[in-house]
Amino acid sequence: MPAPAPGNLPAELNRFVGRDDELATLARHLGDSRLVTVVGVGGVGKTRLALKAADAMKKRYCDGIWLAELSALRDPELLEHALVEALGLTDHSSRPARRVLAGHLATRQLLLVIDGFEQLVDACATLVRELLRRAPELRVLAVGRRPLRVDGELTFALAPMTETDAVRLFTERATAVPPGPGQADARSAAVQELCRRLDGIPLALELAAGRLHVLSVEQILDRVGDRFRVLTEGRRGAPPRHQTLRTAIGWSHELCTPAERLLWARLSVFAGPFDLEAAEYVCGGPELPEEEVLDVLAELISQSLVVREETRAGTRYRMLDTVRAYGAEWLDALEDTDRMRRRHRDWYMGLATWYELDWFSPRQAEVAAGTESALPNLRAALELCLESPDEAHLGQHLAGTLWFYWAGCGRLTEGRHWLGRALALDSPYDESRLKALWVLGYVAVLQGDNTAASGALHECREEAERTGNALARAYAVHRLGCQALLTDDMPRAERLLRSALASYRELGELNSNVLMGQVELAMALVFQGDLEAAVALCEEVREICEDSGERWTRAYALYVLAYSAWTREEHTEARALIAESIAIHHGFNDLVGLVLAVELMALVTASEGDPAEAAVLQGAANGLWGSVGPQLFGSGFFGAPRALCERRASEELGTERYAAYEGEGLGLSPSAAVERALAERRRPAAAPPHQQSNARRPARRTRKPAGSPTARGGEAAG
């Protein structure tokens, strides 16, 4: 059987019941139109039907089905970033996110499901129109309460469930409720009447089923009947289906205890998934003590008002958008929205600070997963910080504190967006602004934008010197050294990096950034021919990383150590070191480190006498460079392994065969490229004697293997 197409569809597809006719019709529409929009009242089941239809069509899309959930998004400028994130793309270049999207989709055959776009309908329509124009094989399935109104759009209006399907859904949910007075029987006249009364709206039915642990079906029906007229009279202008859903939610709200209502309202400040600790801090208070939040939250879960999910970051909770919006109205009525938004912001600022500290620990992978899960809420916190110039310093602090996520987890473009917005606001040169400046410079360096990097880093250094902030000055000098390293000015890079490391030691600073500075100094020494000193620096980094549990910087140290092993012709050791580096970089989504490591693996493979596999790996690396920049911005030193591998492998294979193997690698996805690089290598058959001279290791090194003038062309790396 073929491997399933890639994508990110949620596991909740298995909960879908009924609607076979609608499913078949929607599937046909997907075959007929490049843009299909499923519209209908909130809670009618649009998302579940769309995902089920998409899943049924997955064999048609060789590049997979991808879901972008936009309901928590409010800033149109973040729309492209959200789609980049949903597609699992990582781009270290300075290209606009829209161009990254268009470039990625241009040659791919995939289905993009866009859910919850109502608050961004104009921006979403413009983007979808452009992507469809630039990507001929792209198909879009949009899900919302209104059409996008893009040319060629086919609108599918989803009606509520038939009585039969509604009864099936209610009965299925009833079986999941703990024993109580309301064991539902699908043949019960009361169940059928309840389904009719609730207009077959799935969310309303699930809310009703959530009450079966305390009420019978007949009691639920009586209470819905008593309140139906009263709860809809205040919204005469609303469509009937909206009235029904609001009635169901309002009825559920009336049945909640005061503590449950209060928690419901306060939870509405969360923009995405949240954990228990966040709920306890943000929502706790005199009226609802923190220690009682868990029990109240459990009641909301049992009533289907809050959903519990298991994620890579651990257990998380979320509210459906319609339920969240209802809670937000009550929070406004309580005149408590501003206070709760600030408590929410304070929690996520604290979380970011804690994560920054924990990045230098064995919990690095957990921090990466936790930050990714918290991203919608971190965005909401940043938005609040940037609403007022008086709080610009808070936004600068938060955007700067997240440096480890922007740089270490492949989120450079979004990091640049927030840092730019925060620094555009006037604020004094306090620690927050200085930190945001050096982080912006760091991000710009990694994107190859030397103009922006120089401006931010020189401003940071000058103001740090003026205000006596030695730590900010050290970071600015460090990142200027990193810029010199990537632009092949090795003497300047060595001078600046040594200065920064000396300042770090004097200040007692030790973290992933400091260790990265030591690795970068080692790279500058390698490129100047002092391999022995470089190895000593990286061995020290590896030892510290083993003691602290740090892995991100360790991967870069392993790269230098693998290069050293290769120059000693110790290919087995070099392969083991670079394989570990590749695995770590891939886990953190760090494309810069990943592509450099894959290129070195290609060179090691060529040196082992397997030019065909080396060409495949080099092709895979060339594909990764498209998301990083023009092969590390034209650096001859960093490009030396690539140039040497290409020359050797093409000499062995011939130009045509090399191009064919390289093309095979070029077609690999990042995950497939990593899998190929980490595959156990079988030693190829020995070459005929007259060919062995070309397949052997490089010529004997001089004392300074990378220091000759030809290093920029790649041969000196041998």
Side-chain angles (χ1 to χ4, degrees):
M1 292 180 60
N8 62 344
L9 296 187
E12 67 182 28
L13 286 171
N14 296 328
R15 298 182 60 203
F16 181 86
V17 295
R19 295 194 164 182
D20 295 337
D21 291 342
E22 292 99 324
L23 183 61
T25 302
L26 182 55
R28 283 198 305 273
H29 287 339
L30 284 173
D32 296 338
S33 177
R34 296 186 62 203
L35 171 61
V36 179
T37 302
V38 181
V39 298
V41 65
V44 80
K46 301 184 294 296
T47 299
R48 195 166 294 169
L49 181 75
L51 295 181
K52 191 69 175 181
D55 188 58
M57 302 285 287
K58 62 185 176 185
K59 291 184 180 179
R60 292 194 178 192
Y61 306 103
C62 60
D63 292 305
I65 301 168
W66 300 86
L67 171 64
E69 297 180 297
L70 306 179
S71 57
L73 218 57
R74 294 295 179 269
D75 183 357
E77 293 185 25
L78 290 177
L79 177 59
E80 291 94 341
H81 297 290
L83 293 189
V84 166
E85 179 185 350
L87 287 165
L89 305 181
T90 303
D91 191 86
H92 281 274
S93 71
S94 58
R95 295 181 300 167
R98 182 167 297 211
R99 221 163 87 202
V100 172
L101 279 172
H104 175 77
L105 296 172
T107 59
R108 284 174 170 80
Q109 186 179 37
L110 60 78
L111 175 64
L112 177 61
V113 184
I114 299 175
D115 188 20
F117 59 80
E118 294 88 353
Q119 72 286 356
L120 300 170
V121 64
D122 292 336
C124 196
T126 301
L127 180 58
V128 166
R129 184 183 297 111
E130 180 178 342
L131 294 179
L132 288 172
R133 179 173 59 83
R134 294 186 176 218
E137 296 299 319
L138 172 66
R139 299 293 184 271
V140 176
L141 176 58
V143 183
R145 300 188 186 184
R146 54 183 291 190
L148 285 169
R149 304 199 185 285
V150 172
D151 291 343
E153 178 182 29
L154 194 157
T155 302
F156 180 86
L158 182 61
M161 283 183 158
T162 64
E163 182 179 313
T164 300
D165 282 343
V167 169
R168 284 176 57 193
L169 173 62
F170 186 84
T171 304
E172 180 190 87
R173 297 300 181 266
T175 60
V177 176
Q183 293 305 303
D185 184 342
R187 296 167 297 180
S188 165
V191 169
Q192 295 175 16
E193 176 60 24
L194 179 62
C195 291
R196 282 195 296 271
R197 191 72 61 84
L198 294 177
D199 283 341
I201 297 177
L203 177 56
L205 292 166
E206 295 199 24
L207 292 175
R211 284 293 174 179
L212 287 174
H213 67 301
V214 292
L215 297 173
S216 70
V217 176
E218 289 77 11
Q219 287 175 310
I220 293 173
L221 180 60
D222 289 342
R223 288 171 179 263
V224 169
D226 289 343
R227 289 160 177 79
F228 194 95
R229 177 180 56 81
V230 175
L231 290 173
T232 57
E233 279 185 347
R235 294 174 59 85
R236 296 182 188 276
R241 301 300 183 191
H242 284 279
Q243 293 180 353
T244 300
L245 180 61
R246 187 173 178 81
T247 296
I249 297 176
W251 167 77
S252 189
H253 188 266
E254 279 201 344
L255 292 180
C256 286
T257 65
E260 291 166 3
R261 294 179 192 175
L262 183 60
L263 182 58
W264 181 348
R266 290 180 174 179
L267 288 175
S268 69
V269 299
F270 289 98
F274 56 90
D275 60 16
L276 177 60
E277 290 77 11
E280 288 174 334
Y281 175 85
V282 175
C283 302
E287 312 91 335
L288 182 62
E290 283 189 25
E291 60 271 17
E292 296 179 13
V293 168
L294 174 58
D295 291 337
V296 180
L297 180 63
E299 287 300 313
L300 294 180
I301 293 171
S302 71
Q303 298 165 42
S304 297
L305 294 165
V306 174
V307 178
R308 180 179 182 271
E309 300 174 322
E310 294 302 323
T311 72
R312 288 197 313 125
T315 302
R316 294 294 185 269
Y317 308 92
R318 65 178 174 86
M319 275 186 162
L320 297 177
D321 292 335
T322 310
V323 175
R324 178 176 175 268
Y326 193 94
E329 291 181 11
W330 278 91
L331 193 62
D332 282 342
L334 294 171
E335 298 182 346
D336 203 21
T337 299
D338 289 343
R339 185 181 72 89
M340 292 306 300
R341 287 185 72 197
R342 280 174 168 72
R343 284 185 66 83
H344 173 275
R345 180 202 55 202
D346 293 347
W347 171 263
Y348 283 99
M349 287 191 68
L351 183 71
T353 301
W354 186 258
Y355 276 169
E356 182 187 29
L357 295 172
D358 253 9
W359 182 253
F360 185 57
S361 80
R363 295 188 64 247
Q364 220 169 33
E366 297 173 44
V367 168
T371 309
E372 183 177 354
S373 175
L375 187 57
N377 286 299
L378 289 166
R379 287 169 174 161
L382 282 162
E383 286 286 359
L384 181 59
C385 292
L386 301 179
E387 284 180 5
S388 169
D390 294 339
E391 297 188 336
H393 63 288
L394 298 178
Q396 292 162 1
H397 173 78
L398 181 52
T401 297
L402 290 169
W403 68 265
F404 62 91
Y405 187 64
W406 311 138
C409 300
R411 300 297 182 192
L412 294 178
T413 305
E414 180 161 354
R416 183 86 177 264
H417 167 82
W418 289 114
L419 290 160
R421 282 189 58 186
L423 288 167
L425 299 175
D426 290 334
S427 65
Y429 281 103
D430 59 11
E431 291 184 9
S432 296
R433 183 172 181 83
L434 292 175
K435 184 171 188 176
L437 280 168
W438 74 253
V439 174
L440 175 61
Y442 182 22
V443 167
V445 165
L446 294 179
Q447 289 185 313
D449 188 347
N450 288 314
T451 301
S454 296
L457 293 173
H458 282 294
E459 180 182 347
C460 180
R461 182 171 66 175
E462 291 166 7
E463 290 302 325
E465 290 173 347
R466 185 179 64 81
T467 58
N469 191 321
L471 186 58
R473 182 190 181 280
Y475 277 112
V477 170
H478 175 180
R479 291 308 162 193
L480 285 167
C482 178
Q483 182 184 34
L485 180 71
L486 295 181
T487 53
D488 286 355
D489 189 348
M490 297 307 152
R492 183 169 184 265
E494 180 183 355
R495 184 175 67 255
L496 290 169
L497 290 167
R498 287 192 185 279
S499 174
L501 290 170
S503 297
Y504 290 146
R505 284 192 295 272
E506 184 178 341
L507 295 166
E509 185 84 346
L510 180 61
N511 53 34
S512 298
N513 263 311
V514 174
L515 293 182
M516 186 63 79
Q518 192 161 327
V519 173
E520 289 161 348
L521 175 59
M523 290 176 175
L525 294 175
V526 164
F527 295 142
Q528 294 178 92
D530 194 350
L531 195 59
E532 185 177 345
V535 168
L537 284 169
C538 287
E539 288 290 6
E540 182 181 350
V541 169
R542 182 159 70 163
E543 183 178 344
I544 295 173
C545 288
E546 287 174 355
D547 290 342
S548 64
E550 211 281 355
R551 290 177 59 76
W552 177 60
T553 307
R554 174 188 174 90
Y556 284 93
L558 292 173
Y559 171 85
V560 176
L561 294 173
Y563 175 84
S564 172
W566 173 79
T567 63
R568 298 192 304 270
E569 302 179 0
E570 297 171 358
H571 297 149
T572 300
E573 180 184 355
R575 175 174 292 280
L577 290 167
I578 204 62
E580 184 181 353
S581 178
I582 288 172
I584 295 172
H585 284 308
H586 183 56
F588 285 118
N589 212 21
D590 184 347
L591 280 193
V592 170
L594 177 61
V595 69
L596 290 173
V598 171
E599 285 193 334
L600 184 54
M601 180 67 88
L603 178 56
V604 170
T605 302
S607 300
E608 290 175 330
D610 192 351
E613 186 63 19
V616 172
L617 292 177
Q618 190 56 63
N622 291 342
L624 291 171
W625 278 119
S627 297
V628 177
Q631 298 186 329
L632 214 57
F633 326 120
S635 168
F637 287 105
F638 281 101
R642 174 180 66 254
L644 183 56
C645 177
E646 288 177 348
R647 183 181 65 77
R648 288 186 173 184
S650 60
E651 285 179 357
E652 286 282 341
L653 297 169
T655 304
E656 290 187 8
R657 290 182 65 206
Y658 178 84
Y661 283 116
E662 185 183 38
E664 179 185 344
L666 192 61
L668 296 176
S669 68
S671 294
V674 169
E675 184 178 352
R676 188 72 174 251
L678 298 182
E680 185 177 349
R681 190 76 61 232
R682 290 182 296 180
R683 188 165 297 281
H690 68 279
Q691 294 181 3
Q692 286 185 1
S693 61
N694 286 331
R696 287 183 184 276
R697 302 178 181 96
R700 185 67 59 185
R701 294 181 285 115
T702 63
R703 182 173 176 273
K704 295 186 176 183
S708 74
T710 57
R712 292 176 183 269
E715 187 58 34

